[in-house]
Amino acid sequence: MDRRKAADVSLTNVLFDTVASEASRYRSGIGQRPQRPEHTYPDALAAFAAPTPEAGTPAEDVIHDLVQRASPGLHATTGPRFFGWVIGASHPVGVAADWLTSAWGQNAGNHTASPAAAAAETVSAGWLLDLLDLPREASVGFVTGATVANFVCLAAARSEVLRRAGWDVERSGLFGAPPIHVLIGDEAHTTVFSALQFLGLGSGRVIRIEADSQGRMRPDAFARALARCQGPAIVITQAGHLNTGAFDDHSVFVPQARAQGAWVHVDGAFGLWARACPARAHLGAGIEGADSWATDGHKWLQTPYDCGYAMVRDADAHRRAMTSAASYLPGIGEGERDPSHYVPELSRRARGFATWAMLRHLGREGVARMVEEHCLLAQRLAERLAGEPGIRIVNDVVLNQVIVRFGPDEPVADGDGLTLRTIRRIQEDATLFAGGAKWQGEWVMRLSVISAATTQADIDRSAEAILTAWRDVRSSG
Ligand SMILES: *Cc1c(COP(=O)(O)O)cnc(C)c1O
């Protein structure tokens, strides 16, 4: 080896070793770290701000500097008492597989560029369909998250409902196409409306179906709206509401929609995983009859960011909506898979490795156990809080989500004030992290139990911290 090559090798070794030990240090101390960032965004910006670098900086200094500047602005989302939004914990096994993914530097666009990346996706796709008990013939696109999974699935839906009406949307676009009716619950996740916006279906021209107190579409309102739809139609349902964890009643909606020739798409970003857990699978009954399903790896499966899955029963519609062909790209033979045929991107990260690693590590039993444990912990937390005067659990805790109102018997504005002050107090104390959400006109605190790091002791400690914050707010008037 010449001197230059030897220097490169030792630099790589030093960098990778440094990063590995820094990451271990960070993760092993995560439980002791406050459950909130020390830096606000302006602080973090000040930590990074600098003129455009003119000269280079030695590699080790760059990495050291990155750690110094970023650390105070990191949110301990992988910590055991993080209950904000719906965020998984980037399990160490997934992270380790993801490090290799980066180090291997594979382009998972096609199977020639990386046979291993394509194969890991093919095998993981089969495992996912099996665990979630979805049609085994469905095709799976490995995307960045449920937002893009919703987009991909709805692109397939758009393609197929228009093809049946004699229109080739891939070639001819939407101008002059038969109109598509889109039925969606009034409490659907905001990212589904984004997907509709990207697809030219419009976030505002949809038919919104009235929802009940848990955010589920009302069956009577749904049936009435569906009966009025003539021609191409897409129905969008939800498995696991962001606030309540509630599921639309798929055993009712799916057969009705399909009888009318509508495509049914399910947004199941985290809730779809209930189907991998025998004790909760009843929540998702009938979902297998739908046409497409979006879910995340980076929520309940605990893969690192970013990772989601777009699953489509009609693999031809899926490919039609996503495929770009070019002469310099290799063709595919019988039984071969090019991952890019099922996603918008060509060059892309090999997400199959982390997915494969997490599924292999947890196994069917491990996934089921984790999901059930989180649901039981959510119930425990809700029960601990519900016993306290002035606290109301707003949702039926059927899954892992809990929403809490402080001062529920006060006038709305006062209850909002008490709820927001309690949330602020909890965030300042930083024993746990939870955020606020507006639910059906009133502020609530939302708790999502979805981290593989969370134990029963963390739940009990968090309940105590919430009760203490509430008592302080209440007594300070
Ligand atoms: C998180 C979530 C999404 C969006 O998923 P991303 O992974 O953030 O893109 C969509 N729908 C629901 C119900 C969600 O919880």
Side-chain angles (χ1 to χ4, degrees):
M1 236 187 315
D2 63 29
R3 274 184 33 214
R4 170 75 191 276
K5 272 199 190 132
D8 284 351
V9 168
S10 77
L11 175 62
T12 303
N13 291 347
V14 168
L15 277 186
F16 286 10
D17 289 351
T18 304
V19 167
S21 57
E22 171 55 31
S24 317
R25 198 191 55 75
Y26 175 78
R27 289 296 288 263
S28 56
I30 201 80
Q32 285 75 54
R33 197 186 157 101
Q35 286 286 173
R36 70 167 149 74
E38 202 178 301
H39 275 177
T40 60
Y41 170 70
D43 301 333
L45 190 58
F48 277 97
T52 309
E54 300 295 339
T57 303
E60 288 172 72
D61 295 350
V62 172
I63 296 304
H64 176 75
D65 209 25
L66 176 61
V67 172
Q68 296 305 311
R69 287 168 202 260
S71 292
L74 297 178
H75 210 318
T77 46
T78 60
R81 292 177 304 282
F82 181 88
F83 306 110
W85 301 279
V86 184
I87 287 188
S90 289
H91 191 287
V93 170
V95 173
D98 201 54
W99 281 354
L100 288 170
T101 304
S102 289
W104 288 336
Q106 301 295 283
N107 184 335
N110 64 66
H111 73 269
T112 314
S114 181
E121 283 196 15
T122 302
V123 170
S124 305
W127 290 354
L128 285 167
L129 295 171
D130 187 21
L131 289 178
L132 298 170
D133 194 16
L134 296 174
R136 308 304 192 265
E137 74 273 19
S139 50
V140 183
F142 287 62
V143 292
T144 51
T147 305
V148 177
N150 281 322
F151 166 79
V152 168
C153 291
L154 291 169
R158 185 184 71 164
S159 177
E160 179 59 17
V161 298
L162 287 178
R163 189 196 62 77
R164 290 185 209 146
W167 189 267
D168 178 351
V169 72
E170 279 73 39
R171 188 172 164 279
S172 307
L174 278 176
F175 297 106
I180 301 175
H181 300 287
V182 178
L183 277 72
I184 184 167
D186 214 18
E187 297 284 3
H189 195 269
T190 157
T191 59
V192 184
F193 293 98
S194 308
L196 292 168
Q197 170 188 331
F198 305 152
L199 286 162
L201 295 171
S203 58
R205 70 173 281 290
V206 296
I207 303 162
R208 296 178 77 121
I209 311 296
E210 195 193 332
D212 67 11
S213 66
Q214 302 300 310
R216 296 170 296 216
M217 287 193 281
R218 289 188 182 281
D220 48 343
F222 177 80
R224 270 199 308 276
L226 185 68
R228 283 199 296 270
C229 294
Q230 299 299 319
I234 299 171
V235 169
I236 302 172
T237 64
Q238 184 161 238
H241 187 280
L242 177 66
N243 287 326
T244 63
F247 285 59
D248 281 322
D249 189 347
H250 291 87
S251 59
V252 170
F253 299 141
V254 172
Q256 282 179 3
R258 286 183 61 115
Q260 196 152 324
W263 178 292
V264 183
H265 169 67
V266 183
D267 174 15
F270 60 101
L272 204 58
W273 290 91
R275 289 178 59 87
C277 173
R280 304 281 155 173
H282 60 277
L283 295 167
I287 278 178
E288 67 284 356
D291 297 280
S292 59
W293 309 266
T295 197
D296 269 317
H298 57 221
K299 287 180 180 172
W300 233 333
L301 188 57
Q302 318 284 320
T303 68
Y305 282 86
D306 41 27
C307 187
Y309 315 109
M311 300 172 279
V312 181
R313 177 193 297 276
D314 180 346
D316 290 340
H318 191 171
R319 280 195 59 169
R320 209 162 57 228
M322 289 294 129
T323 303
S324 59
S327 58
Y328 62 86
L329 297 175
I332 60 163
E334 188 63 35
E336 290 176 340
R337 169 192 164 91
D338 275 347
S340 64
H341 287 166
Y342 304 97
V343 299
E345 305 90 346
L346 177 56
S347 296
R348 51 192 291 283
R349 183 171 192 77
R351 298 190 183 86
F353 292 133
T355 300
W356 180 89
M358 281 311 301
L359 292 174
R360 180 100 205 273
H361 177 60
L362 293 172
R364 192 191 299 274
E365 284 174 19
V367 171
R369 200 177 323 117
M370 176 175 64
V371 169
E372 180 58 3
E373 196 171 293
H374 290 159
C375 295
L376 293 174
L377 290 176
Q379 238 164 336
R380 182 180 177 94
L381 184 54
E383 280 160 19
R384 291 289 300 271
L385 299 179
E388 177 75 8
I391 294 185
R392 180 181 295 158
I393 303 303
V394 178
N395 64 321
D396 300 338
V397 182
V398 292
L399 201 66
N400 65 318
Q401 303 291 108
V402 182
I403 48 176
V404 187
R405 175 83 171 167
F406 298 93
D409 300 323
E410 306 294 328
V412 172
D414 296 350
D416 279 351
L418 290 167
T419 300
L420 291 172
R421 267 159 51 212
T422 308
I423 293 171
R424 207 174 319 126
R425 193 137 197 140
I426 289 166
Q427 291 183 354
E428 281 161 8
D429 169 61
T431 299
L432 70 143
F433 181 85
K438 200 97 184 253
W439 174 242
Q440 302 191 334
E442 299 186 8
W443 280 99
V444 292
M445 180 174 77
R446 180 172 58 217
L447 298 156
S448 176
V449 184
I450 195 162
S451 163
T454 303
T455 64
Q456 185 167 304
D458 291 307
I459 290 295
D460 292 347
R461 199 173 143 192
S462 299
E464 279 313 312
I466 293 168
L467 293 175
T468 303
W470 165 235
R471 287 168 192 155
D472 287 351
V473 166
R474 195 179 44 186
S475 65
S476 67

